[in-house]
Amino acid sequence: MSKKDDKPKNINIQNRRARHEYAFLVQYNAGMMLQGTEIKSIREGSVQLQDGFCTFHQDGSLWAHNITIAQYTEGTYNNHEPTRARKLLLNKKELKQLAGKAQEQGLTIIPVRMFVNDRGFAKLEIALAKGKKLYDKRDDLKAKDQKREMDRARDY
């Protein structure tokens, strides 16, 4: 059996902290411009999204910052830098929409999930988000606990 016949494992890295800290308004799937060994590290699951955020540069392109993709263990001197800024690939219409909405007060663009699609490309799901207040977080935790209790009661 050759390497191409091997079924790739499903890569799905989530930013669980972001779901707790932010309310998502709009979500987009963006491609990423990667260097040589970065995709191999992503396929190993060596990614941390917790501190990540996205910003627009002067030329109108969207860049992801503080996403840590660990160095590839089998890499040589050509290995990548773990926390470098990476350009995100969206079409012009999506970029224009995001740029317009991101200018509003209190909104930010954060990475939510990184995955590898069917064709083998690494994709980053980003969201236009608004920070939650403390009472919103408490309400979410309360609803989660109530749902858990109802599920337990139903099982008995």
Side-chain angles (χ1 to χ4, degrees), residues 3 10 21 39 43 50 60-61 66 71 75 81 84 98 110 114 119 121 124 155:
K3 282 199 170 225
N10 193 10
E21 298 284 331
I39 188 65
R43 287 187 180 133
Q50 276 72 14
S61 60
N66 285 359
Q71 288 191 338
E81 178 160 342
R84 73 177 187 88
L98 258 176
I110 55 169
M114 185 179 289
R119 296 174 55 195
F121 295 126
L124 186 67
D155 289 341

Side-chain angles (χ1 to χ4, degrees), residues 55 58 74 78-80 139 141 147:
T55 59
Q58 293 297 100
E74 305 295 320
N78 288 331
N79 228 334
H80 64 276
D139 289 345
L141 289 174
K147 184 179 182 304

Side-chain angles (χ1 to χ4, degrees), residues 64-118:
H65 300 275
N66 285 359
I67 294 175
T68 304
I69 299 176
Q71 288 191 338
Y72 184 55
T73 54
E74 305 295 320
T76 61
Y77 63 92
N78 288 331
N79 228 334
H80 64 276
E81 178 160 342
T83 57
R84 73 177 187 88
R86 293 167 181 90
K87 186 174 183 178
L88 298 180
L89 306 171
L90 292 166
N91 62 40
K92 286 184 182 182
K93 181 181 174 186
E94 292 172 333
L95 283 172
K96 221 178 234 187
Q97 287 175 349
L98 258 176
K101 292 177 184 175
Q103 298 300 323
E104 295 179 27
Q105 188 68 27
L107 297 182
T108 185
I109 303 169
I110 55 169
V112 177
R113 181 172 76 109
M114 185 179 289
F115 62 97
V116 177
N117 69 2
D118 300 341

